[in-house]
Structures are given as C-alpha cells and as structure tokens.
Amino acid sequence: APRRATRSITLREACDAYWAGRRDITDAYRTNALRCMDMHIHPELGDKPLAGISRADLLGPLNKMDAAGLHDYVRKARLWLAAVLAWGIEQQHCEHNPAKDIDPEKAFGKVRSEHFAALQPHEMRELLGRLELENRHLQSLLAFRCLAYTWLRTVELRTLLKTDRIAPDLIQIPAGRMKRPHDHQVP
C-alpha cells in the first residue's frame, strides 16, 4: 500500500529540516543550496504545504531562473528540490516528488560552454622557463609555479592559512575546509 502523508509541512520547513540533517556536505554547499531556495523558490512556494506542491508549481520559479539565464543553477535548484521532496516522502510529509518529473535537459535552456585554454604537457617546460625569466618575485608568478608543482586547486592555494601545515615536502589542509571528511595532503 502507498504511504500516506501524516502531516504536511511547508516547503521552507522541509528545506530547513533536510539541509540541517545533511552532515555529509560542507557548510558552503549547504549555504549555497539554502540561498538558492531563499532567492528563487521560497518567494513563490516557501509557505506552500509540501504535500500540495505540483510540477506546475515548481516550473513557475524554475522557468523564471531559466529565463534569467541561470541555466546551470536552475538544474541545481531542481536537483535540490528533488532531494528535499524525496526526504519529505520518507518522512511522510508528502506522497509524490514532482521535481523528479521535470527533465532538465528538455525543460531548461543551455548555453555552449567555453573551455579554458589549456597547455599540452610538452608546453609546460617552455612556459615555466619563460616565467623564470620574468620577475621571479612577482606573487602571481610564484603562485602559478606553486599550482604547477603541487596541482592544488586555485581556491585551495588562495585560502591557505598560516595554521595549515606547510612543509617543504607536504602541504596539509584540514578536513573542515575540504569536501571529504579527512585532511587533504599535497606532496
């Protein structure tokens, strides 16, 4: 027999409860998802009971995001809504997940993505040699060399702290600043 919703909560309450229970994600990811809901979804649907939300209801704010050119972000919003509604089904707050009925490949626009220019492996030696001839102490050149030698992400390099373990043979970034639950060690 299908599950029956015992008590419906609002979409805003469901979002808050779902994201509060996610211990497997970073605070930045949670903040991004909740901010998206606050900016784009909750103004129209936040006070609506979870059990009463339809596919058409969801398409309203999602189509507005798409029309504003937020083609990648609208896909994330639909995904986040689907996760909240799936949680709502399991907690018996609703019986159906209308976000899963929306095919983002057909419902929303796309833009051609442009890839950043990339060097071929055999071009690296020449580039590093040219950088060596430039001002050796210019911070951006030193940062580029550090990226090339360690393969850190730019955000990881930019956000290194004095409290991080930085030794000649190892950079260790604490788990609290990484997606994974363990320290990130870069030789």
mmCIF file of all heavy atoms in Angstrom, residues 76-127:
data_model
loop_
_atom_site.group_PDB
_atom_site.id
_atom_site.type_symbol
_atom_site.label_atom_id
_atom_site.label_comp_id
_atom_site.label_asym_id
_atom_site.label_seq_id
_atom_site.Cartn_x
_atom_site.Cartn_y
_atom_site.Cartn_z
ATOM 1 N N LYS A 76 20.647 22.780 -10.744
ATOM 2 C CA LYS A 76 20.975 22.508 -9.344
ATOM 3 C C LYS A 76 19.742 22.705 -8.466
ATOM 4 O O LYS A 76 19.479 21.902 -7.571
ATOM 5 C CB LYS A 76 22.106 23.409 -8.866
ATOM 6 C CG LYS A 76 23.437 23.064 -9.462
ATOM 7 C CD LYS A 76 24.515 23.994 -8.927
ATOM 8 C CE LYS A 76 25.842 23.678 -9.578
ATOM 9 N NZ LYS A 76 26.911 24.545 -9.086
ATOM 10 N N ALA A 77 18.996 23.776 -8.715
ATOM 11 C CA ALA A 77 17.794 24.043 -7.918
ATOM 12 C C ALA A 77 16.802 22.895 -8.035
ATOM 13 O O ALA A 77 16.219 22.454 -7.040
ATOM 14 C CB ALA A 77 17.151 25.363 -8.351
ATOM 15 N N ARG A 78 16.601 22.383 -9.249
ATOM 16 C CA ARG A 78 15.688 21.251 -9.441
ATOM 17 C C ARG A 78 16.198 20.025 -8.700
ATOM 18 O O ARG A 78 15.436 19.312 -8.050
ATOM 19 C CB ARG A 78 15.519 20.934 -10.931
ATOM 20 C CG ARG A 78 14.399 19.907 -11.162
ATOM 21 C CD ARG A 78 14.656 19.029 -12.354
ATOM 22 N NE ARG A 78 15.872 18.260 -12.290
ATOM 23 C CZ ARG A 78 15.983 17.037 -11.726
ATOM 24 N NH1 ARG A 78 14.958 16.468 -11.134
ATOM 25 N NH2 ARG A 78 17.130 16.392 -11.741
ATOM 26 N N LEU A 79 17.494 19.792 -8.762
ATOM 27 C CA LEU A 79 18.095 18.660 -8.057
ATOM 28 C C LEU A 79 17.903 18.793 -6.545
ATOM 29 O O LEU A 79 17.537 17.827 -5.866
ATOM 30 C CB LEU A 79 19.575 18.569 -8.412
ATOM 31 C CG LEU A 79 20.333 17.393 -7.861
ATOM 32 C CD1 LEU A 79 19.912 16.117 -8.581
ATOM 33 C CD2 LEU A 79 21.831 17.620 -8.049
ATOM 34 N N TRP A 80 18.148 19.996 -6.020
ATOM 35 C CA TRP A 80 17.980 20.224 -4.583
ATOM 36 C C TRP A 80 16.521 20.072 -4.163
ATOM 37 O O TRP A 80 16.220 19.517 -3.108
ATOM 38 C CB TRP A 80 18.516 21.602 -4.195
ATOM 39 C CG TRP A 80 20.008 21.724 -4.335
ATOM 40 C CD1 TRP A 80 20.931 20.729 -4.181
ATOM 41 C CD2 TRP A 80 20.749 22.892 -4.646
ATOM 42 N NE1 TRP A 80 22.206 21.216 -4.379
ATOM 43 C CE2 TRP A 80 22.127 22.541 -4.674
ATOM 44 C CE3 TRP A 80 20.395 24.210 -4.920
ATOM 45 C CZ2 TRP A 80 23.134 23.452 -4.942
ATOM 46 C CZ3 TRP A 80 21.410 25.123 -5.190
ATOM 47 C CH2 TRP A 80 22.758 24.741 -5.200
ATOM 48 N N LEU A 81 15.607 20.561 -4.987
ATOM 49 C CA LEU A 81 14.176 20.386 -4.693
ATOM 50 C C LEU A 81 13.797 18.907 -4.697
ATOM 51 O O LEU A 81 13.034 18.457 -3.837
ATOM 52 C CB LEU A 81 13.318 21.146 -5.710
ATOM 53 C CG LEU A 81 13.251 22.654 -5.515
ATOM 54 C CD1 LEU A 81 12.710 23.332 -6.767
ATOM 55 C CD2 LEU A 81 12.401 23.001 -4.291
ATOM 56 N N ALA A 82 14.329 18.148 -5.641
ATOM 57 C CA ALA A 82 14.043 16.714 -5.696
ATOM 58 C C ALA A 82 14.530 16.012 -4.433
ATOM 59 O O ALA A 82 13.850 15.127 -3.900
ATOM 60 C CB ALA A 82 14.681 16.094 -6.940
ATOM 61 N N ALA A 83 15.694 16.432 -3.928
ATOM 62 C CA ALA A 83 16.227 15.821 -2.703
ATOM 63 C C ALA A 83 15.341 16.150 -1.506
ATOM 64 O O ALA A 83 15.061 15.281 -0.670
ATOM 65 C CB ALA A 83 17.654 16.297 -2.462
ATOM 66 N N VAL A 84 14.895 17.391 -1.411
ATOM 67 C CA VAL A 84 14.024 17.796 -0.299
ATOM 68 C C VAL A 84 12.699 17.042 -0.368
ATOM 69 O O VAL A 84 12.199 16.546 0.652
ATOM 70 C CB VAL A 84 13.797 19.325 -0.302
ATOM 71 C CG1 VAL A 84 12.697 19.727 0.670
ATOM 72 C CG2 VAL A 84 15.097 20.057 0.027
ATOM 73 N N LEU A 85 12.131 16.930 -1.544
ATOM 74 C CA LEU A 85 10.854 16.218 -1.694
ATOM 75 C C LEU A 85 11.012 14.724 -1.441
ATOM 76 O O LEU A 85 10.115 14.092 -0.867
ATOM 77 C CB LEU A 85 10.253 16.495 -3.070
ATOM 78 C CG LEU A 85 9.665 17.906 -3.200
ATOM 79 C CD1 LEU A 85 9.597 18.349 -4.653
ATOM 80 C CD2 LEU A 85 8.297 17.974 -2.544
ATOM 81 N N ALA A 86 12.140 14.138 -1.825
ATOM 82 C CA ALA A 86 12.390 12.720 -1.516
ATOM 83 C C ALA A 86 12.461 12.521 -0.004
ATOM 84 O O ALA A 86 11.921 11.545 0.535
ATOM 85 C CB ALA A 86 13.682 12.255 -2.186
ATOM 86 N N TRP A 87 13.116 13.462 0.672
ATOM 87 C CA TRP A 87 13.158 13.423 2.146
ATOM 88 C C TRP A 87 11.730 13.529 2.687
ATOM 89 O O TRP A 87 11.355 12.812 3.623
ATOM 90 C CB TRP A 87 14.028 14.568 2.673
ATOM 91 C CG TRP A 87 13.985 14.731 4.148
ATOM 92 C CD1 TRP A 87 14.782 14.128 5.075
ATOM 93 C CD2 TRP A 87 13.096 15.577 4.895
ATOM 94 N NE1 TRP A 87 14.443 14.526 6.338
ATOM 95 C CE2 TRP A 87 13.402 15.421 6.252
ATOM 96 C CE3 TRP A 87 12.060 16.440 4.548
ATOM 97 C CZ2 TRP A 87 12.726 16.101 7.268
ATOM 98 C CZ3 TRP A 87 11.383 17.117 5.547
ATOM 99 C CH2 TRP A 87 11.716 16.941 6.891
ATOM 100 N N GLY A 88 10.924 14.422 2.104
ATOM 101 C CA GLY A 88 9.541 14.602 2.541
ATOM 102 C C GLY A 88 8.716 13.339 2.400
ATOM 103 O O GLY A 88 7.876 13.025 3.253
ATOM 104 N N ILE A 89 8.953 12.572 1.335
ATOM 105 C CA ILE A 89 8.248 11.298 1.154
ATOM 106 C C ILE A 89 8.639 10.327 2.262
ATOM 107 O O ILE A 89 7.789 9.684 2.881
ATOM 108 C CB ILE A 89 8.542 10.707 -0.240
ATOM 109 C CG1 ILE A 89 7.877 11.550 -1.324
ATOM 110 C CG2 ILE A 89 8.074 9.254 -0.323
ATOM 111 C CD1 ILE A 89 8.297 11.197 -2.739
ATOM 112 N N GLU A 90 9.946 10.218 2.521
ATOM 113 C CA GLU A 90 10.419 9.295 3.556
ATOM 114 C C GLU A 90 9.915 9.678 4.946
ATOM 115 O O GLU A 90 9.671 8.803 5.778
ATOM 116 C CB GLU A 90 11.954 9.234 3.552
ATOM 117 C CG GLU A 90 12.528 8.615 2.296
ATOM 118 C CD GLU A 90 11.990 7.219 2.033
ATOM 119 O OE1 GLU A 90 11.923 6.404 2.972
ATOM 120 O OE2 GLU A 90 11.649 6.937 0.859
ATOM 121 N N GLN A 91 9.756 10.958 5.192
ATOM 122 C CA GLN A 91 9.276 11.431 6.496
ATOM 123 C C GLN A 91 7.748 11.527 6.535
ATOM 124 O O GLN A 91 7.184 12.029 7.503
ATOM 125 C CB GLN A 91 9.891 12.800 6.821
ATOM 126 C CG GLN A 91 11.401 12.768 6.940
ATOM 127 C CD GLN A 91 11.874 11.838 8.030
ATOM 128 O OE1 GLN A 91 11.301 11.783 9.113
ATOM 129 N NE2 GLN A 91 12.936 11.088 7.741
ATOM 130 N N GLN A 92 7.100 11.078 5.486
ATOM 131 C CA GLN A 92 5.638 11.043 5.360
ATOM 132 C C GLN A 92 4.996 12.429 5.412
ATOM 133 O O GLN A 92 3.902 12.610 5.944
ATOM 134 C CB GLN A 92 5.029 10.108 6.415
ATOM 135 C CG GLN A 92 5.500 8.681 6.248
ATOM 136 C CD GLN A 92 4.848 7.730 7.213
ATOM 137 O OE1 GLN A 92 4.389 8.110 8.286
ATOM 138 N NE2 GLN A 92 4.799 6.461 6.833
ATOM 139 N N HIS A 93 5.662 13.400 4.814
ATOM 140 C CA HIS A 93 5.100 14.747 4.699
ATOM 141 C C HIS A 93 4.449 14.972 3.330
ATOM 142 O O HIS A 93 3.717 15.938 3.144
ATOM 143 C CB HIS A 93 6.176 15.810 4.917
ATOM 144 C CG HIS A 93 6.756 15.790 6.288
ATOM 145 N ND1 HIS A 93 6.019 16.011 7.435
ATOM 146 C CD2 HIS A 93 8.026 15.567 6.712
ATOM 147 C CE1 HIS A 93 6.800 15.928 8.496
ATOM 148 N NE2 HIS A 93 8.031 15.660 8.082
ATOM 149 N N CYS A 94 4.752 14.089 2.378
ATOM 150 C CA CYS A 94 4.144 14.164 1.054
ATOM 151 C C CYS A 94 4.220 12.768 0.421
ATOM 152 O O CYS A 94 4.885 11.884 0.954
ATOM 153 C CB CYS A 94 4.837 15.205 0.172
ATOM 154 S SG CYS A 94 6.585 14.912 -0.124
ATOM 155 N N GLU A 95 3.491 12.583 -0.678
ATOM 156 C CA GLU A 95 3.439 11.273 -1.311
ATOM 157 C C GLU A 95 4.097 11.232 -2.681
ATOM 158 O O GLU A 95 4.301 10.152 -3.230
ATOM 159 C CB GLU A 95 1.979 10.830 -1.444
ATOM 160 C CG GLU A 95 1.309 10.621 -0.108
ATOM 161 C CD GLU A 95 -0.145 10.187 -0.250
ATOM 162 O OE1 GLU A 95 -0.520 9.709 -1.341
ATOM 163 O OE2 GLU A 95 -0.896 10.325 0.730
ATOM 164 N N HIS A 96 4.413 12.384 -3.239
ATOM 165 C CA HIS A 96 4.928 12.422 -4.607
ATOM 166 C C HIS A 96 6.059 13.446 -4.705
ATOM 167 O O HIS A 96 6.063 14.437 -3.992
ATOM 168 C CB HIS A 96 3.797 12.777 -5.575
ATOM 169 C CG HIS A 96 4.221 12.799 -7.003
ATOM 170 N ND1 HIS A 96 4.618 11.682 -7.680
ATOM 171 C CD2 HIS A 96 4.331 13.830 -7.881
ATOM 172 C CE1 HIS A 96 4.947 12.010 -8.914
ATOM 173 N NE2 HIS A 96 4.786 13.313 -9.051
ATOM 174 N N ASN A 97 6.982 13.197 -5.611
ATOM 175 C CA ASN A 97 8.111 14.093 -5.838
ATOM 176 C C ASN A 97 8.004 14.683 -7.244
ATOM 177 O O ASN A 97 8.562 14.137 -8.195
ATOM 178 C CB ASN A 97 9.425 13.324 -5.671
ATOM 179 C CG ASN A 97 10.640 14.218 -5.699
ATOM 180 O OD1 ASN A 97 10.592 15.344 -6.175
ATOM 181 N ND2 ASN A 97 11.742 13.702 -5.206
ATOM 182 N N PRO A 98 7.298 15.817 -7.389
ATOM 183 C CA PRO A 98 7.117 16.386 -8.727
ATOM 184 C C PRO A 98 8.409 16.910 -9.348
ATOM 185 O O PRO A 98 8.482 17.041 -10.573
ATOM 186 C CB PRO A 98 6.107 17.514 -8.505
ATOM 187 C CG PRO A 98 6.207 17.850 -7.055
ATOM 188 C CD PRO A 98 6.599 16.582 -6.356
ATOM 189 N N ALA A 99 9.428 17.183 -8.560
ATOM 190 C CA ALA A 99 10.695 17.651 -9.131
ATOM 191 C C ALA A 99 11.349 16.558 -9.975
ATOM 192 O O ALA A 99 12.041 16.854 -10.950
ATOM 193 C CB ALA A 99 11.632 18.108 -8.017
ATOM 194 N N LYS A 100 11.118 15.302 -9.611
ATOM 195 C CA LYS A 100 11.679 14.194 -10.386
ATOM 196 C C LYS A 100 11.001 14.054 -11.745
ATOM 197 O O LYS A 100 11.550 13.438 -12.646
ATOM 198 C CB LYS A 100 11.569 12.885 -9.605
ATOM 199 C CG LYS A 100 12.532 12.812 -8.433
ATOM 200 C CD LYS A 100 12.406 11.523 -7.681
ATOM 201 C CE LYS A 100 13.135 10.426 -8.410
ATOM 202 N NZ LYS A 100 13.199 9.175 -7.631
ATOM 203 N N ASP A 101 9.810 14.636 -11.881
ATOM 204 C CA ASP A 101 9.079 14.555 -13.150
ATOM 205 C C ASP A 101 9.556 15.594 -14.161
ATOM 206 O O ASP A 101 9.110 15.584 -15.310
ATOM 207 C CB ASP A 101 7.576 14.748 -12.923
ATOM 208 C CG ASP A 101 6.968 13.647 -12.061
ATOM 209 O OD1 ASP A 101 7.568 12.553 -12.004
ATOM 210 O OD2 ASP A 101 5.919 13.893 -11.456
ATOM 211 N N ILE A 102 10.418 16.495 -13.746
ATOM 212 C CA ILE A 102 10.918 17.543 -14.634
ATOM 213 C C ILE A 102 12.250 17.090 -15.221
ATOM 214 O O ILE A 102 13.209 16.842 -14.491
ATOM 215 C CB ILE A 102 11.100 18.875 -13.872
ATOM 216 C CG1 ILE A 102 9.770 19.348 -13.290
ATOM 217 C CG2 ILE A 102 11.704 19.937 -14.783
ATOM 218 C CD1 ILE A 102 9.887 20.513 -12.329
ATOM 219 N N ASP A 103 12.306 16.967 -16.526
ATOM 220 C CA ASP A 103 13.533 16.588 -17.219
ATOM 221 C C ASP A 103 14.298 17.868 -17.556
ATOM 222 O O ASP A 103 13.896 18.609 -18.458
ATOM 223 C CB ASP A 103 13.207 15.810 -18.495
ATOM 224 C CG ASP A 103 14.447 15.351 -19.237
ATOM 225 O OD1 ASP A 103 15.567 15.783 -18.896
ATOM 226 O OD2 ASP A 103 14.293 14.547 -20.177
ATOM 227 N N PRO A 104 15.390 18.154 -16.848
ATOM 228 C CA PRO A 104 16.089 19.422 -17.059
ATOM 229 C C PRO A 104 16.670 19.561 -18.467
ATOM 230 O O PRO A 104 16.808 20.669 -18.968
ATOM 231 C CB PRO A 104 17.194 19.409 -16.002
ATOM 232 C CG PRO A 104 17.364 17.995 -15.616
ATOM 233 C CD PRO A 104 16.038 17.335 -15.834
ATOM 234 N N GLU A 105 16.977 18.445 -19.122
ATOM 235 C CA GLU A 105 17.530 18.511 -20.477
ATOM 236 C C GLU A 105 16.488 19.020 -21.474
ATOM 237 O O GLU A 105 16.839 19.636 -22.474
ATOM 238 C CB GLU A 105 18.044 17.140 -20.909
ATOM 239 C CG GLU A 105 19.216 16.645 -20.085
ATOM 240 C CD GLU A 105 20.405 17.603 -20.121
ATOM 241 O OE1 GLU A 105 20.789 18.039 -21.218
ATOM 242 O OE2 GLU A 105 20.935 17.916 -19.042
ATOM 243 N N LYS A 106 15.226 18.770 -21.189
ATOM 244 C CA LYS A 106 14.161 19.205 -22.086
ATOM 245 C C LYS A 106 13.472 20.475 -21.593
ATOM 246 O O LYS A 106 12.977 21.255 -22.391
ATOM 247 C CB LYS A 106 13.130 18.084 -22.246
ATOM 248 C CG LYS A 106 13.707 16.869 -22.938
ATOM 249 C CD LYS A 106 12.712 15.753 -23.001
ATOM 250 C CE LYS A 106 13.360 14.538 -23.651
ATOM 251 N NZ LYS A 106 12.645 13.320 -23.398
ATOM 252 N N ALA A 107 13.445 20.683 -20.288
ATOM 253 C CA ALA A 107 12.688 21.801 -19.735
ATOM 254 C C ALA A 107 13.454 23.127 -19.756
ATOM 255 O O ALA A 107 12.838 24.186 -19.862
ATOM 256 C CB ALA A 107 12.276 21.487 -18.293
ATOM 257 N N PHE A 108 14.776 23.070 -19.674
ATOM 258 C CA PHE A 108 15.550 24.302 -19.497
ATOM 259 C C PHE A 108 16.565 24.485 -20.618
ATOM 260 O O PHE A 108 17.003 23.524 -21.242
ATOM 261 C CB PHE A 108 16.270 24.289 -18.141
ATOM 262 C CG PHE A 108 15.361 23.971 -16.993
ATOM 263 C CD1 PHE A 108 15.623 22.897 -16.164
ATOM 264 C CD2 PHE A 108 14.222 24.715 -16.747
ATOM 265 C CE1 PHE A 108 14.784 22.585 -15.109
ATOM 266 C CE2 PHE A 108 13.367 24.406 -15.703
ATOM 267 C CZ PHE A 108 13.650 23.338 -14.875
ATOM 268 N N GLY A 109 16.914 25.748 -20.820
ATOM 269 C CA GLY A 109 17.868 26.089 -21.870
ATOM 270 C C GLY A 109 19.290 25.700 -21.509
ATOM 271 O O GLY A 109 19.598 25.323 -20.387
ATOM 272 N N LYS A 110 20.131 25.805 -22.522
ATOM 273 C CA LYS A 110 21.554 25.521 -22.354
ATOM 274 C C LYS A 110 22.338 26.588 -23.092
ATOM 275 O O LYS A 110 21.847 27.183 -24.046
ATOM 276 C CB LYS A 110 21.935 24.170 -22.966
ATOM 277 C CG LYS A 110 21.495 22.973 -22.218
ATOM 278 C CD LYS A 110 22.063 21.744 -22.920
ATOM 279 C CE LYS A 110 21.677 20.478 -22.209
ATOM 280 N NZ LYS A 110 22.207 19.295 -22.873
ATOM 281 N N VAL A 111 23.541 26.780 -22.659
ATOM 282 C CA VAL A 111 24.465 27.628 -23.400
ATOM 283 C C VAL A 111 25.695 26.803 -23.717
ATOM 284 O O VAL A 111 26.039 25.878 -22.980
ATOM 285 C CB VAL A 111 24.861 28.898 -22.610
ATOM 286 C CG1 VAL A 111 23.678 29.828 -22.435
ATOM 287 C CG2 VAL A 111 25.464 28.562 -21.274
ATOM 288 N N ARG A 112 26.305 27.142 -24.812
ATOM 289 C CA ARG A 112 27.528 26.431 -25.181
ATOM 290 C C ARG A 112 28.602 26.807 -24.181
ATOM 291 O O ARG A 112 28.844 27.980 -23.918
ATOM 292 C CB ARG A 112 27.964 26.830 -26.577
ATOM 293 C CG ARG A 112 29.310 26.217 -26.952
ATOM 294 C CD ARG A 112 29.691 26.541 -28.338
ATOM 295 N NE ARG A 112 28.973 25.586 -29.194
ATOM 296 C CZ ARG A 112 28.969 25.629 -30.506
ATOM 297 N NH1 ARG A 112 29.613 26.569 -31.130
ATOM 298 N NH2 ARG A 112 28.314 24.722 -31.199
ATOM 299 N N SER A 113 29.218 25.813 -23.615
ATOM 300 C CA SER A 113 30.262 26.091 -22.637
ATOM 301 C C SER A 113 31.584 26.261 -23.363
ATOM 302 O O SER A 113 31.894 25.550 -24.309
ATOM 303 C CB SER A 113 30.360 24.964 -21.605
ATOM 304 O OG SER A 113 30.705 23.760 -22.246
ATOM 305 N N GLU A 114 32.319 27.258 -22.919
ATOM 306 C CA GLU A 114 33.637 27.503 -23.472
ATOM 307 C C GLU A 114 34.661 26.994 -22.476
ATOM 308 O O GLU A 114 34.608 27.330 -21.298
ATOM 309 C CB GLU A 114 33.834 28.989 -23.727
ATOM 310 C CG GLU A 114 32.915 29.533 -24.812
ATOM 311 C CD GLU A 114 33.188 30.992 -25.105
ATOM 312 O OE1 GLU A 114 34.351 31.415 -24.973
ATOM 313 O OE2 GLU A 114 32.237 31.689 -25.453
ATOM 314 N N HIS A 115 35.567 26.219 -22.966
ATOM 315 C CA HIS A 115 36.589 25.664 -22.099
ATOM 316 C C HIS A 115 37.772 26.620 -22.018
ATOM 317 O O HIS A 115 38.075 27.335 -22.971
ATOM 318 C CB HIS A 115 37.029 24.293 -22.605
ATOM 319 C CG HIS A 115 35.915 23.299 -22.640
ATOM 320 N ND1 HIS A 115 35.425 22.706 -21.496
ATOM 321 C CD2 HIS A 115 35.162 22.817 -23.654
ATOM 322 C CE1 HIS A 115 34.437 21.891 -21.808
ATOM 323 N NE2 HIS A 115 34.249 21.942 -23.106
ATOM 324 N N PHE A 116 38.403 26.642 -20.882
ATOM 325 C CA PHE A 116 39.580 27.472 -20.707
ATOM 326 C C PHE A 116 40.719 26.917 -21.554
ATOM 327 O O PHE A 116 40.816 25.712 -21.775
ATOM 328 C CB PHE A 116 39.989 27.511 -19.234
ATOM 329 C CG PHE A 116 38.976 28.179 -18.361
ATOM 330 C CD1 PHE A 116 38.206 27.436 -17.478
ATOM 331 C CD2 PHE A 116 38.764 29.536 -18.413
ATOM 332 C CE1 PHE A 116 37.269 28.030 -16.671
ATOM 333 C CE2 PHE A 116 37.827 30.155 -17.618
ATOM 334 C CZ PHE A 116 37.083 29.401 -16.746
ATOM 335 N N ALA A 117 41.555 27.816 -22.003
ATOM 336 C CA ALA A 117 42.723 27.391 -22.766
ATOM 337 C C ALA A 117 43.587 26.499 -21.884
ATOM 338 O O ALA A 117 43.732 26.730 -20.688
ATOM 339 C CB ALA A 117 43.518 28.613 -23.221
ATOM 340 N N ALA A 118 44.133 25.470 -22.476
ATOM 341 C CA ALA A 118 44.960 24.532 -21.726
ATOM 342 C C ALA A 118 46.254 24.271 -22.477
ATOM 343 O O ALA A 118 46.280 24.247 -23.702
ATOM 344 C CB ALA A 118 44.210 23.218 -21.508
ATOM 345 N N LEU A 119 47.292 24.104 -21.720
ATOM 346 C CA LEU A 119 48.581 23.758 -22.302
ATOM 347 C C LEU A 119 48.680 22.252 -22.466
ATOM 348 O O LEU A 119 48.120 21.495 -21.676
ATOM 349 C CB LEU A 119 49.719 24.220 -21.388
ATOM 350 C CG LEU A 119 49.928 25.715 -21.233
ATOM 351 C CD1 LEU A 119 51.001 25.974 -20.200
ATOM 352 C CD2 LEU A 119 50.292 26.357 -22.552
ATOM 353 N N GLN A 120 49.413 21.856 -23.474
ATOM 354 C CA GLN A 120 49.744 20.448 -23.627
ATOM 355 C C GLN A 120 50.918 20.150 -22.696
ATOM 356 O O GLN A 120 51.720 21.044 -22.396
ATOM 357 C CB GLN A 120 50.124 20.143 -25.074
ATOM 358 C CG GLN A 120 48.983 20.359 -26.056
ATOM 359 C CD GLN A 120 47.801 19.456 -25.748
ATOM 360 O OE1 GLN A 120 47.960 18.283 -25.438
ATOM 361 N NE2 GLN A 120 46.600 20.021 -25.796
ATOM 362 N N PRO A 121 51.037 18.931 -22.219
ATOM 363 C CA PRO A 121 52.134 18.620 -21.296
ATOM 364 C C PRO A 121 53.516 19.029 -21.807
ATOM 365 O O PRO A 121 54.342 19.528 -21.052
ATOM 366 C CB PRO A 121 52.031 17.103 -21.119
ATOM 367 C CG PRO A 121 50.579 16.813 -21.345
ATOM 368 C CD PRO A 121 50.146 17.789 -22.412
ATOM 369 N N HIS A 122 53.765 18.875 -23.116
ATOM 370 C CA HIS A 122 55.085 19.224 -23.649
ATOM 371 C C HIS A 122 55.337 20.738 -23.676
ATOM 372 O O HIS A 122 56.462 21.174 -23.859
ATOM 373 C CB HIS A 122 55.282 18.614 -25.052
ATOM 374 C CG HIS A 122 54.403 19.225 -26.101
ATOM 375 N ND1 HIS A 122 53.109 18.805 -26.306
ATOM 376 C CD2 HIS A 122 54.638 20.227 -26.984
ATOM 377 C CE1 HIS A 122 52.575 19.519 -27.284
ATOM 378 N NE2 HIS A 122 53.485 20.391 -27.714
ATOM 379 N N GLU A 123 54.282 21.558 -23.486
ATOM 380 C CA GLU A 123 54.431 23.015 -23.477
ATOM 381 C C GLU A 123 54.752 23.572 -22.087
ATOM 382 O O GLU A 123 55.118 24.742 -21.957
ATOM 383 C CB GLU A 123 53.148 23.673 -23.995
ATOM 384 C CG GLU A 123 52.810 23.310 -25.427
ATOM 385 C CD GLU A 123 51.440 23.816 -25.847
ATOM 386 O OE1 GLU A 123 50.452 23.517 -25.128
ATOM 387 O OE2 GLU A 123 51.365 24.512 -26.873
ATOM 388 N N MET A 124 54.630 22.755 -21.061
ATOM 389 C CA MET A 124 54.838 23.229 -19.683
ATOM 390 C C MET A 124 56.278 23.696 -19.438
ATOM 391 O O MET A 124 56.499 24.718 -18.804
ATOM 392 C CB MET A 124 54.472 22.141 -18.672
ATOM 393 C CG MET A 124 52.988 21.905 -18.538
ATOM 394 S SD MET A 124 52.095 23.355 -17.946
ATOM 395 C CE MET A 124 52.744 23.493 -16.302
ATOM 396 N N ARG A 125 57.254 22.961 -19.929
ATOM 397 C CA ARG A 125 58.654 23.317 -19.687
ATOM 398 C C ARG A 125 58.950 24.715 -20.238
ATOM 399 O O ARG A 125 59.578 25.533 -19.580
ATOM 400 C CB ARG A 125 59.591 22.287 -20.307
ATOM 401 C CG ARG A 125 61.063 22.583 -20.055
ATOM 402 C CD ARG A 125 61.960 21.561 -20.734
ATOM 403 N NE ARG A 125 61.760 20.228 -20.213
ATOM 404 C CZ ARG A 125 62.490 19.693 -19.234
ATOM 405 N NH1 ARG A 125 63.445 20.392 -18.693
ATOM 406 N NH2 ARG A 125 62.248 18.471 -18.826
ATOM 407 N N GLU A 126 58.473 24.984 -21.446
ATOM 408 C CA GLU A 126 58.702 26.301 -22.049
ATOM 409 C C GLU A 126 58.029 27.405 -21.231
ATOM 410 O O GLU A 126 58.627 28.451 -20.980
ATOM 411 C CB GLU A 126 58.186 26.321 -23.488
ATOM 412 C CG GLU A 126 58.382 27.662 -24.169
ATOM 413 C CD GLU A 126 57.708 27.743 -25.538
ATOM 414 O OE1 GLU A 126 57.367 26.680 -26.103
ATOM 415 O OE2 GLU A 126 57.510 28.862 -26.011
ATOM 416 N N LEU A 127 56.800 27.165 -20.821
ATOM 417 C CA LEU A 127 56.089 28.173 -20.037
ATOM 418 C C LEU A 127 56.811 28.450 -18.721
ATOM 419 O O LEU A 127 57.019 29.599 -18.349
ATOM 420 C CB LEU A 127 54.649 27.733 -19.758
ATOM 421 C CG LEU A 127 53.854 28.678 -18.858
ATOM 422 C CD1 LEU A 127 53.654 30.034 -19.527
ATOM 423 C CD2 LEU A 127 52.530 28.071 -18.470
#
